[in-house]
Amino acid sequence: MPSAVQAEVFRTKPGVLPPPVLVQIEVSSRCNLKCRMCPLTLETTMSSGDPGLMTEATWEQVVRMGKLAGQVTIAGFGEPLTHPDFRKMLRALDEAGIEISFSTNGIGFEKFAPELAELRNLKHVNISIDSPDPEIYLDIRGGDVERALSGARAIGAALRDRVPVTIAVVVMKQNVRSLLAFPALMQDMGIRYLVLQSLHDYTDELEREHLHTGRTLQMFRPSLRLHTVFDELLAECERHGVQLLRGDRVALDTYEPWESTAKYFTKPRGEALTKVCNVPFENMYVDSAGRVFPCCHSASGPLLGETGKQTLEEIWAGELSKEFRSAIVDPARTPEVCQKCSIVPWGEHPFRLWAGEVEEAGRRDDGWMWLRVRNTGTSAWTAEHPLRLAPSRPRDRASARALPGWHTPNRVVTMREARVEPGGVALLEFELGEPRDGKEDFFELLVEGKAWLFGSVHSYF
């Protein structure tokens, strides 16, 4: 148990879970499109079953939690611009000093886009356009691609070279070849990042659209191999000054479909593996009805809480949230909704391998501080991957309180021991420079090169 001395060292109370790293919200479950892969279109129980708007009461809680987290992302299954107060919401977050990012389909931004340039804390805008081809876009999204491209042009012009703007594509067999036309269009818009996202199949029909299920086609008709299309797309991006961003699953779907099937779609047998997902530990997802779920893809359940019954702080640290996090790191209890997810791979969960708990903390007469941290994970801390204390919120930053005796400006101290086995205790001894701006200063434990330790964020005097 933490000692009483810890209260004098940590401003955060012992045993109180620090706020999430990021708050993701869905301000509206209404939309001006009918996307074939969206749960709202499919009329499932995902997200807000009845199309609606986030209420002012829930919004006030979001802003309060956003101040604690420092970041709010507006993204979900609806179009945020359909909320009549969306622009007001962005300004409120900006005035509160909260970093903002949001996703949109781009439709209707021609008049609004210039206002985005006035937001000091806007960090990213993502525009979802699944194909530049009018017929393919119409079939996938049920709308006019020119309206989406017009909004994208307006956003690109307003934020050019100031805020990163991305165009995101959910990659399917239907649209993959049409993507070759994107780089030239994006160069003209002033948008430099093209993001390829994996398809999450909510229906049997969509399951047939996964790239990895095309392995037979790739084997017997080499001229139509998907990897040749992606090689061409990469070349087009380089030619037009566009950076192509894609995750591990998209790359495997394209080049190693068998490995993608095994890693993302096939539940291992006889192995102590679970879904390797950190989202419920770092991000809080709130839908437009004020309901809190582990993530947007699990918004059919389990329900972790509702803002009309609890505060977001209570939900984040509540028993339902704790139970879900505990289950996802335990191979024997992987939640059903996670087992069905194809966004993250199967593997050993990092928060099972790497975990720690501060048992004692104190301050010496000379001002130095010390922590005794027990290894509660299943892997040893070693000289190659030692336990360290580091500035956080954001992570890896160089701290203004750094002193010459620190390991580096973004790492305070390394454990004294050469090796700490599971169940063992590491000692960290360090000093901090005086705070220079009067703001709360956060620090967090990590196993270098492996994982930041969940729940170890604290702020120091």
Side-chain angles (χ1 to χ4, degrees), residues 117-373:
E118 301 172 5
L119 301 175
R120 295 169 297 175
N121 294 295
L122 181 63
K123 301 301 180 181
H124 175 217
V125 176
N126 181 67
I127 310 169
S128 297
I129 306 177
D130 293 310
S131 175
D133 183 282
E135 292 185 6
I136 295 176
Y137 183 90
L138 176 63
D139 189 56
I140 292 177
R141 292 203 156 229
D144 182 356
V145 71
E146 286 304 322
R147 295 184 64 198
L149 293 174
S150 178
R153 288 189 186 94
I155 294 172
L159 299 177
R160 191 184 296 264
D161 300 326
R162 195 182 74 84
V163 174
V165 178
T166 56
I167 286 184
V169 176
V170 177
V171 185
M172 297 176 274
K173 293 177 186 174
Q174 180 182 10
N175 65 357
V176 63
R177 298 182 191 283
S178 70
L179 303 185
L180 294 172
F182 254 138
L185 286 173
M186 293 174 61
Q187 182 182 43
D188 180 61
M189 296 176 185
I191 298 177
R192 305 302 181 199
Y193 302 96
L194 177 60
V195 180
L196 305 184
Q197 299 175 318
S198 301
L199 173 66
H200 186 68
D201 50 315
Y202 297 108
T203 69
D204 292 338
E205 177 207 2
L206 288 173
E207 184 177 3
R208 293 191 292 271
E209 284 289 349
H210 283 300
L211 298 186
H212 76 282
T213 62
R215 54 189 179 275
T216 302
L217 175 66
Q218 295 181 42
M219 182 182 300
F220 294 105
R221 298 185 66 184
S223 63
L224 295 180
R225 285 180 179 174
L226 286 175
H227 70 81
T228 62
V229 178
F230 281 93
D231 289 344
E232 290 179 38
L233 179 58
L234 181 59
E236 281 296 295
C237 286
E238 292 176 349
R239 185 176 299 115
H240 294 282
V242 173
Q243 187 172 349
L244 184 66
L245 306 174
R246 57 185 173 184
D248 175 68
R249 207 198 96 187
V250 172
L252 290 181
D253 284 350
T254 308
Y255 295 97
E256 302 290 343
W258 297 275
E259 185 174 342
S260 176
T261 301
K263 189 173 181 179
Y264 288 89
F265 294 87
T266 306
K267 184 179 180 179
R269 294 182 180 180
E271 296 185 53
L273 303 180
T274 184
K275 283 290 183 172
V276 185
C277 181
N278 293 353
V279 172
F281 298 85
E282 300 183 344
N283 300 351
M284 173 174 249
Y285 177 72
V286 187
D287 78 356
S288 61
R291 302 181 298 177
V292 178
F293 298 97
C295 72
C296 61
H297 290 293
S298 66
S300 59
L303 179 67
L304 303 181
E306 299 179 72
T307 55
K309 301 175 181 179
Q310 300 166 280
T311 67
L312 290 180
E313 292 93 328
E314 290 170 340
I315 296 170
W316 173 251
E319 291 304 316
L320 292 176
S321 297
K322 290 179 182 178
E323 170 58 24
F324 189 88
R325 296 183 190 112
S326 175
I328 200 173
V329 302
D330 184 352
R333 296 191 297 134
T334 303
E336 182 180 357
V337 69
C338 299
Q339 294 186 41
K340 296 178 179 178
C341 175
S342 61
I343 302 299
V344 294
W346 291 92
E348 292 187 89
H349 202 286
F351 292 154
R352 180 180 174 88
L353 295 168
W354 314 102
E357 179 180 332
V358 176
E359 291 198 334
E360 290 185 294
R363 188 193 303 271
R364 302 195 318 220
D365 292 340
D366 60 4
W368 277 60
M369 301 176 188
W370 54 271
L371 302 175
R372 291 180 61 84
V373 186

Side-chain angles (χ1 to χ4, degrees), residues 23 25 54 58-66 72 286 312:
V23 179
I25 62 173
M54 180 172 283
T58 297
W59 174 251
E60 290 175 355
Q61 287 203 43
V62 166
V63 173
R64 184 167 67 247
M65 182 61 92
V72 168
V286 187
L312 290 180

Side-chain angles (χ1 to χ4, degrees), residues 362 368-373 387-389 413-417 426-430 445:
W368 277 60
M369 301 176 188
W370 54 271
L371 302 175
R372 291 180 61 84
V373 186
L387 178 73
R388 284 177 174 153
L389 183 69
V413 63
T414 301
M415 67 183 193
R416 296 185 62 179
E417 297 76 11
L427 176 63
L428 301 176
E429 295 181 301
F430 58 95
L445 295 169

Side-chain angles (χ1 to χ4, degrees), residues 14-139:
V16 175
L17 187 68
V21 175
L22 178 145
V23 179
Q24 180 182 343
I25 62 173
E26 174 191 279
V27 298
S28 173
S29 59
R30 299 174 180 173
C31 196
N32 43 22
L33 292 173
K34 293 287 185 180
C35 304
R36 61 185 297 212
M37 63 284 193
C38 178
L40 295 182
T41 303
L42 299 169
E43 297 182 351
T44 70
T45 56
M46 294 288 293
S47 190
S48 303
D50 298 321
L53 306 173
M54 180 172 283
T55 65
E56 184 175 350
T58 297
W59 174 251
E60 290 175 355
Q61 287 203 43
V62 166
V63 173
R64 184 167 67 247
M65 182 61 92
K67 289 180 180 178
L68 295 174
Q71 303 177 72
V72 168
T73 291
I74 301 175
F77 296 110
E79 168 53 45
L81 199 55
T82 61
H83 196 301
D85 292 330
F86 176 56
R87 294 152 70 179
K88 179 181 177 182
M89 290 171 162
L90 289 181
R91 289 193 295 270
L93 294 174
D94 190 55
E95 291 169 0
I98 300 170
E99 293 187 357
I100 311 162
S101 64
F102 71 87
S103 290
T104 175
N105 58 37
I107 295 174
F109 267 84
E110 291 83 352
K111 294 182 179 180
F112 169 44
E115 297 179 25
L116 298 178
E118 301 172 5
L119 301 175
R120 295 169 297 175
N121 294 295
L122 181 63
K123 301 301 180 181
H124 175 217
V125 176
N126 181 67
I127 310 169
S128 297
I129 306 177
D130 293 310
S131 175
D133 183 282
E135 292 185 6
I136 295 176
Y137 183 90
L138 176 63
D139 189 56

